[in-house]
Amino acid sequence: MLTVTHLVFAALGFAGGIYALPILTAPPAPTVAEVTTAAVTAQFTGEFRRDLKDSDFLHWGEGKVSVNPSNISLMGKLSPGPDYKLYLSPEFVETETDFKRLKSQMTRIGDIKTFENFIIDIPQGTDVGKFNTVVVWCESFGQFITAAKYR
Protein backbone atom coordinates (compact mmCIF):
# COMPACT_ATOMS: atom_id res chain seq x y z
CA MET A 1 0.00 0.00 0.00
CA LEU A 2 2.84 2.35 0.85
CA THR A 3 4.43 1.82 -2.58
CA VAL A 4 1.13 2.51 -4.35
CA THR A 5 0.52 5.75 -2.44
CA HIS A 6 4.09 6.92 -3.16
CA LEU A 7 3.67 6.16 -6.87
CA VAL A 8 0.35 8.02 -6.96
CA PHE A 9 1.82 11.09 -5.26
CA ALA A 10 4.92 10.96 -7.48
CA ALA A 11 2.69 10.92 -10.57
CA LEU A 12 0.59 13.80 -9.22
CA GLY A 13 3.75 15.76 -8.42
CA PHE A 14 5.12 15.16 -11.91
CA ALA A 15 1.85 16.27 -13.52
CA GLY A 16 1.71 19.32 -11.25
CA GLY A 17 5.28 20.19 -12.23
CA ILE A 18 4.48 19.99 -15.94
CA TYR A 19 1.56 22.35 -15.36
CA ALA A 20 3.35 24.77 -13.01
CA LEU A 21 6.81 24.99 -14.60
CA PRO A 22 5.73 27.06 -17.64
CA ILE A 23 3.93 29.48 -15.30
CA LEU A 24 6.96 29.83 -13.03
CA THR A 25 9.45 30.31 -15.88
CA ALA A 26 7.30 32.54 -18.13
CA PRO A 27 8.78 35.95 -18.92
CA PRO A 28 6.74 39.04 -18.04
CA ALA A 29 3.73 39.43 -20.33
CA PRO A 30 3.40 42.52 -22.52
CA THR A 31 1.45 45.30 -20.87
CA VAL A 32 -2.04 46.30 -21.99
CA ALA A 33 -0.51 49.47 -23.47
CA GLU A 34 2.03 47.47 -25.51
CA VAL A 35 -0.63 45.10 -26.87
CA THR A 36 -2.96 48.02 -27.60
CA THR A 37 -0.20 49.76 -29.54
CA ALA A 38 0.50 46.59 -31.57
CA ALA A 39 -3.23 46.13 -32.25
CA VAL A 40 -3.72 49.68 -33.59
CA THR A 41 -2.10 48.73 -36.91
CA ALA A 42 -3.99 45.42 -37.23
CA GLN A 43 -5.24 44.50 -40.67
CA PHE A 44 -7.31 41.65 -39.24
CA THR A 45 -8.81 40.66 -35.90
CA GLY A 46 -10.28 37.48 -34.48
CA GLU A 47 -11.39 36.03 -31.18
CA PHE A 48 -10.05 33.09 -29.16
CA ARG A 49 -13.03 31.35 -27.53
CA ARG A 50 -13.23 28.64 -24.86
CA ASP A 51 -16.07 26.77 -26.59
CA LEU A 52 -14.16 25.20 -29.51
CA LYS A 53 -14.60 21.45 -30.07
CA ASP A 54 -11.21 20.31 -28.74
CA SER A 55 -10.80 23.04 -26.13
CA ASP A 56 -11.46 21.93 -22.55
CA PHE A 57 -10.82 23.09 -18.98
CA LEU A 58 -7.04 22.57 -19.36
CA HIS A 59 -6.65 23.66 -23.02
CA TRP A 60 -8.26 26.97 -23.97
CA GLY A 61 -7.76 30.54 -24.99
CA GLU A 62 -9.86 33.67 -24.81
CA GLY A 63 -9.41 37.20 -26.02
CA LYS A 64 -8.90 39.40 -29.06
CA VAL A 65 -6.24 38.45 -31.59
CA SER A 66 -4.85 41.18 -33.85
CA VAL A 67 -2.87 40.41 -37.00
CA ASN A 68 -0.74 42.84 -38.97
CA PRO A 69 2.17 42.23 -41.38
CA SER A 70 4.81 42.48 -38.65
CA ASN A 71 3.24 40.80 -35.59
CA ILE A 72 0.34 38.93 -34.04
CA SER A 73 -0.91 40.04 -30.65
CA LEU A 74 -3.36 38.73 -28.07
CA MET A 75 -5.22 40.81 -25.54
CA GLY A 76 -6.47 37.95 -23.39
CA LYS A 77 -5.43 34.68 -21.76
CA LEU A 78 -4.31 31.16 -22.61
CA SER A 79 -4.39 28.15 -20.34
CA PRO A 80 -0.86 27.57 -19.04
CA GLY A 81 1.16 24.82 -20.66
CA PRO A 82 4.55 23.91 -22.09
CA ASP A 83 5.86 24.40 -25.60
CA TYR A 84 3.03 26.45 -27.15
CA LYS A 85 3.51 27.39 -30.80
CA LEU A 86 1.60 29.91 -32.88
CA TYR A 87 0.62 28.90 -36.42
CA LEU A 88 -1.21 30.50 -39.33
CA SER A 89 -3.65 28.17 -41.10
CA PRO A 90 -5.42 28.47 -44.46
CA GLU A 91 -8.58 26.99 -42.90
CA PHE A 92 -10.31 27.31 -39.53
CA VAL A 93 -9.15 24.61 -37.12
CA GLU A 94 -10.86 23.57 -33.89
CA THR A 95 -9.72 19.98 -33.39
CA GLU A 96 -6.46 18.05 -33.13
CA THR A 97 -7.49 16.06 -36.22
CA ASP A 98 -8.01 19.25 -38.25
CA PHE A 99 -4.63 20.58 -37.11
CA LYS A 100 -2.77 17.42 -38.10
CA ARG A 101 -4.54 17.30 -41.47
CA LEU A 102 -3.59 20.92 -42.29
CA LYS A 103 -0.20 21.23 -40.57
CA SER A 104 1.77 20.85 -43.80
CA GLN A 105 -0.11 23.87 -45.22
CA MET A 106 0.40 26.01 -42.13
CA THR A 107 3.19 28.43 -41.29
CA ARG A 108 4.71 28.34 -37.82
CA ILE A 109 5.08 31.89 -36.56
CA GLY A 110 6.85 31.36 -33.26
CA ASP A 111 6.85 30.35 -29.61
CA ILE A 112 4.30 31.57 -27.10
CA LYS A 113 5.99 32.10 -23.76
CA THR A 114 3.35 34.08 -21.85
CA PHE A 115 -0.18 33.12 -20.92
CA GLU A 116 -1.72 36.56 -20.52
CA ASN A 117 -1.28 38.79 -23.56
CA PHE A 118 1.41 38.24 -26.14
CA ILE A 119 3.05 39.93 -29.11
CA ILE A 120 4.86 37.64 -31.53
CA ASP A 121 6.84 38.92 -34.49
CA ILE A 122 5.97 37.42 -37.86
CA PRO A 123 8.94 36.02 -39.82
CA GLN A 124 10.07 38.14 -42.77
CA GLY A 125 8.31 37.18 -46.01
CA THR A 126 5.20 35.69 -44.39
CA ASP A 127 2.01 36.86 -46.12
CA VAL A 128 -0.75 36.88 -43.48
CA GLY A 129 -3.29 37.42 -46.28
CA LYS A 130 -2.71 33.84 -47.51
CA PHE A 131 -4.14 32.50 -44.26
CA ASN A 132 -7.34 33.07 -42.32
CA THR A 133 -6.79 31.50 -38.89
CA VAL A 134 -4.37 31.80 -35.97
CA VAL A 135 -3.83 28.51 -34.09
CA VAL A 136 -2.20 27.79 -30.72
CA TRP A 137 -0.79 24.27 -30.50
CA CYS A 138 1.14 22.46 -27.75
CA GLU A 139 4.01 20.86 -29.65
CA SER A 140 5.28 18.63 -26.80
CA PHE A 141 1.97 16.90 -26.20
CA GLY A 142 0.35 17.27 -29.64
CA GLN A 143 -2.57 19.11 -28.09
CA PHE A 144 -4.90 21.64 -29.70
CA ILE A 145 -5.29 24.70 -27.47
CA THR A 146 -7.33 27.28 -29.39
CA ALA A 147 -7.83 29.06 -32.71
CA ALA A 148 -9.28 32.30 -34.07
CA LYS A 149 -10.50 32.97 -37.57
CA TYR A 150 -9.33 36.45 -38.53
CA ARG A 151 -10.37 36.63 -42.16
Side-chain angles (χ1 to χ4, degrees):
M1 184 62 144
L2 188 59
T3 302
V4 171
T5 58
H6 278 81
L7 289 174
V8 167
F9 279 100
L12 289 173
F14 180 75
I18 287 174
Y19 182 80
L21 186 61
I23 298 168
L24 296 173
T25 60
T31 65
V32 171
E34 291 170 324
V35 176
T36 301
T37 300
V40 167
T41 59
Q43 291 178 308
F44 308 105
T45 61
E47 193 79 24
F48 283 154
R49 301 183 341 256
R50 287 183 180 234
D51 64 348
L52 300 179
K53 286 182 186 174
D54 271 5
S55 292
D56 57 35
F57 75 101
L58 289 175
H59 309 100
W60 53 267
E62 63 184 4
K64 182 180 177 184
V65 178
S66 301
V67 180
N68 67 49
S70 61
N71 62 53
I72 298 172
S73 62
L74 169 68
M75 178 74 76
K77 295 182 180 182
L78 297 172
S79 60
D83 202 21
Y84 283 3
K85 308 296 181 197
L86 188 68
Y87 286 86
L88 292 179
S89 173
E91 294 178 32
F92 183 66
V93 172
E94 66 177 321
T95 66
E96 180 180 325
T97 304
D98 290 343
F99 181 88
K100 288 178 178 178
R101 177 176 55 83
L102 292 166
K103 188 173 183 180
S104 65
Q105 300 171 45
M106 294 182 187
T107 294
R108 187 168 133 185
I109 299 302
D111 298 338
I112 299 172
K113 299 193 181 291
T114 61
F115 307 108
E116 183 172 347
N117 302 339
F118 64 66
I119 301 171
I120 298 178
D121 292 334
I122 295 175
Q124 188 77 17
T126 303
D127 181 2
V128 297
K130 289 183 177 179
F131 304 94
N132 70 8
T133 300
V134 175
V135 181
V136 178
W137 176 258
C138 177
E139 203 73 41
S140 293
F141 292 102
Q143 180 67 48
F144 173 81
I145 306 303
T146 191
K149 188 169 185 173
Y150 63 82
R151 195 175 61 79

